[in-house]
Amino acid sequence: MREELANEALLQSLFDGESTPEEQERAVALLKSDAKWRKLYLSYGQLHHGLCERFEDSNVVAMPMKARRRSGGTGWKLAAALALFGVSLTLLLGSLGQPQTKVVYGPESRGRLIHAEGGITGNWMEEGSRLELERGAVSLTFSTGVEALIEGPAVMEMTGENSLHLEEGRGFFRVPEGAEGFVCTTESLFVEDLGTEFGILAGATEEVHVITGQVRMKPHGSKEQLRTLDAGERLGWSDSALTLSIPERNFASSFQGRETILADDFDEPDGTLLHGKSPDVGAGSWEVTKGNPIIRNNKLDTSGAFRKAAFVYFDAQLSEANHVLLLTVEAETSEDTLHSLGWAGVSLFTGEEERIFIGDPDGPGVSWGLHPVGWQVQNAIPQAAGKRIVTLRYEYRTGLVELFEGDTTTGEALASEWIAPELNFNRLRIANGSHVDGALDAGARLEDLSREDDVNVRSDIAIRSLRLDVLTVEGE
């Protein structure tokens, strides 16, 4: 009650033109953060406007003009107050008739905003704005104070000051006091907040998870009443029916950060043997299983007459929460150090099984290639020819593997392949070989291979550095 009286007194002071600079700063802060106070401000503004029209001056001018001082001073003080806070509110929130939601992209994220004709620009959404998130995450801050973190791939549309339609994606929502009634819809479900934190999955799978507080929900078109879910409860929508048989989820409430679990820049003196050397980051050491690779000119070079292969173990611990693995490789790409006819590159293993390969593929061109499983040959990616640094991204939840130029994954993918989801890798290999070598490594029998395959036709690669990261996440 005291706070309400203080807020009303502040409004009266503003519209009487008697507010101090400190009171004006407080009012601007309330306009930005408090939905109830904004509504109260609008009510006062409409009341004062009507009184001025009725008792002071029937002519309302919508352009700047020099105020005329009247007895009592109410007219010019009101005009000054309205002008001050009208400008402030416009700068802070856009127009009052079209509330805006701030959009911030997280690390390793890519998306695009689509606005209605004549809509806003920049990283803001208004009613009718659509956001298509290709990968990563975005945070949304509504003018009502509601905060959301949406993980991609996702598609969403702002449907009102306090509502969002999530067509696809995974969302965490925090609704503060005063913003109760926030609504998130999916293709099948209507979810209304009652002051809480909750998570939603939308798309092929639709789920509602209440973390704290309560929500009300119902399927679209259903004749049944809204049902209330309490903290810890969750419901899914499957085969046109609600179901309790859904797993517990960890919803990200803040952006992910990169945690390096393995890194090596091969900056040891020339002639250093790789076998037994510890990487710069990582608990294991390199184990050479074929040949004798050594370090020259700050790079690991597989060139020479014999095949070479070396492994290093790591502990990635991917999970539903920490679900993105990034492998960045910097290599020489001249024909002298990355030449074809055979293959040479970097592989990720699950146990004893090779699952992903990137490097110079078994083919005629000098280029990077992406092999989703083992030795099975795929053509090189033409647009990746000559690239010095590439980054591989593995999505634990879906099994999607993508290859990018550079040390980030925010641009267009050079290539993508689907492998099994929910894999945990534990070994990295640097190796070179021939088509026959790769087939034998994968378990093929030599007598079953073509006689045209030459076991001695091998490629080379010279690696300057590699880094393996996991995107960590803070969840609820």
Side-chain angles (χ1 to χ4, degrees):
M1 179 61 73
R2 290 182 178 179
E3 183 179 359
E4 291 178 0
L5 291 174
N7 286 342
E8 290 185 9
L10 174 60
L11 282 169
Q12 193 63 55
S13 177
L14 291 172
F15 282 94
D16 284 346
E18 298 174 352
S19 59
T20 65
E22 291 77 14
E23 287 176 324
Q24 294 169 10
E25 289 181 6
R26 178 168 172 257
V28 170
L30 286 169
L31 284 171
K32 185 177 180 181
S33 63
D34 193 323
K36 288 185 177 179
W37 202 84
R38 283 197 297 275
K39 292 177 181 178
L40 191 61
Y41 172 82
L42 284 173
S43 297
Y44 262 72
Q46 292 168 352
L47 176 61
H48 274 264
H49 182 73
L51 289 172
C52 287
E53 282 191 307
R54 175 69 177 84
F55 296 108
E56 287 199 338
D57 193 344
S58 60
N59 295 319
V60 179
V61 180
M63 65 178 68
M65 61 180 296
K66 185 175 181 180
R68 293 174 291 168
R69 189 179 183 102
R70 295 180 175 272
S71 59
T74 304
W76 72 270
K77 291 179 181 179
L78 174 60
L82 285 171
L84 170 66
F85 287 96
V87 171
S88 298
L89 193 57
T90 299
L91 292 174
L92 288 168
L93 303 171
S95 68
L96 284 170
Q98 190 66 283
Q100 295 180 359
T101 295
K102 179 65 176 176
V103 178
V104 177
Y105 289 89
E108 303 304 320
S109 300
R110 177 182 174 86
R112 64 170 184 157
L113 276 167
I114 305 168
H115 304 297
E117 185 177 353
I120 56 177
T121 59
N123 288 339
W124 295 87
M125 295 180 73
E126 61 185 11
E127 186 171 346
S129 296
R130 182 179 175 87
L131 196 161
E132 298 176 352
L133 182 64
E134 188 174 335
R135 71 182 75 93
V138 294
S139 70
L140 307 178
T141 304
F142 291 76
S143 61
T144 57
V146 173
E147 298 174 344
L149 192 137
I150 312 295
E151 295 183 83
V155 178
M156 68 211 76
E157 181 178 337
M158 186 174 168
T159 52
E161 179 184 16
N162 210 32
S163 61
L164 182 78
H165 177 70
L166 188 60
E167 182 178 319
E168 177 187 4
R170 182 186 184 110
F172 167 84
F173 300 89
R174 178 180 287 119
V175 182
E177 183 179 355
E180 295 90 345
F182 173 80
V183 169
C184 181
T185 57
T186 68
E187 293 300 290
S188 303
L189 301 175
F190 171 91
V191 182
E192 181 183 16
D193 159 79
L194 298 177
T196 186
E197 294 178 345
F198 65 97
I200 286 183
L201 263 65
T205 299
E206 297 202 356
E207 299 174 5
V208 178
H209 297 246
V210 183
I211 300 166
T212 64
Q214 294 180 322
V215 302
R216 293 188 298 190
M217 64 164 291
K218 64 177 294 186
H220 295 311
S222 173
K223 295 181 180 180
E224 66 180 67
Q225 296 295 317
L226 286 166
R227 64 173 65 192
T228 300
L229 299 181
D230 296 316
E233 293 186 317
R234 54 189 184 271
L235 277 178
W237 177 260
S238 179
D239 297 326
S240 301
L242 293 173
T243 175
L244 296 171
S245 302
I246 59 174
E248 186 175 355
R249 307 284 186 186
N250 188 309
F251 287 89
S253 58
S254 63
F255 288 135
Q256 301 166 327
R258 289 174 73 148
E259 178 183 347
T260 300
I261 59 176
L262 176 69
D264 209 335
D265 60 7
F266 305 109
D267 61 351
E268 286 76 15
D270 285 0
T272 298
L273 295 175
L274 185 62
H275 185 74
K277 187 187 89 68
S278 297
D280 299 325
V281 177
S285 59
W286 288 98
E287 178 185 351
V288 174
T289 59
K290 297 182 185 298
N292 61 338
I294 62 175
I295 295 171
R296 299 188 185 94
N297 300 320
N298 299 121
K299 59 190 177 186
L300 177 66
D301 194 338
T302 67
S303 62
F306 301 100
R307 186 184 180 197
K308 300 176 178 64
F311 290 86
V312 64
Y313 285 86
F314 59 86
D315 185 14
Q317 292 299 312
L318 295 179
S319 65
E320 189 190 48
N322 302 325
H323 57 95
V324 176
L325 184 73
L326 301 173
L327 171 60
T328 301
V329 178
E330 179 183 4
E332 297 289 341
T333 55
S334 67
E335 292 192 17
D336 293 334
T337 55
L338 179 68
H339 70 263
S340 196
L341 293 179
W343 58 267
V346 180
S347 299
L348 291 174
F349 280 68
T350 298
E352 298 298 316
E353 184 179 2
E354 182 183 11
R355 301 308 302 254
I356 307 173
F357 168 90
I358 58 170
D360 180 19
D362 190 5
V366 178
S367 180
W368 288 95
L370 170 65
H371 295 202
V373 180
W375 65 279
Q376 296 172 356
V377 176
Q378 292 193 12
N379 292 329
I381 311 155
Q383 63 267 41
K387 302 295 189 281
R388 186 172 62 88
I389 300 175
V390 293
T391 296
L392 177 142
R393 179 183 182 126
Y394 170 72
E395 168 59 66
Y396 175 88
R397 294 174 183 164
T398 64
L400 178 65
V401 181
E402 297 173 286
L403 188 65
F404 300 84
E405 181 184 4
D407 60 0
T408 71
T409 61
T410 57
E412 289 281 357
L414 298 171
S416 62
E417 296 287 349
W418 294 93
I419 65 171
E422 300 184 0
L423 292 178
N424 253 308
F425 307 96
N426 66 337
R427 288 199 301 167
L428 180 145
R429 185 190 70 179
I430 300 174
N432 70 328
S434 66
H435 179 60
V436 172
D437 293 327
L440 294 175
D441 288 348
R445 297 186 307 172
L446 184 60
E447 56 267 30
D448 295 334
L449 300 175
S450 170
R451 292 185 179 183
E452 297 177 359
D453 292 325
D454 187 348
V455 71
N456 294 313
V457 178
R458 299 187 176 103
S459 184
D460 296 319
I461 192 169
I463 296 178
R464 287 200 170 275
S465 68
L466 56 84
R467 188 179 77 243
L468 195 64
D469 297 330
V470 173
L471 293 187
T472 61
V473 64
E474 179 181 343
E476 294 292 333

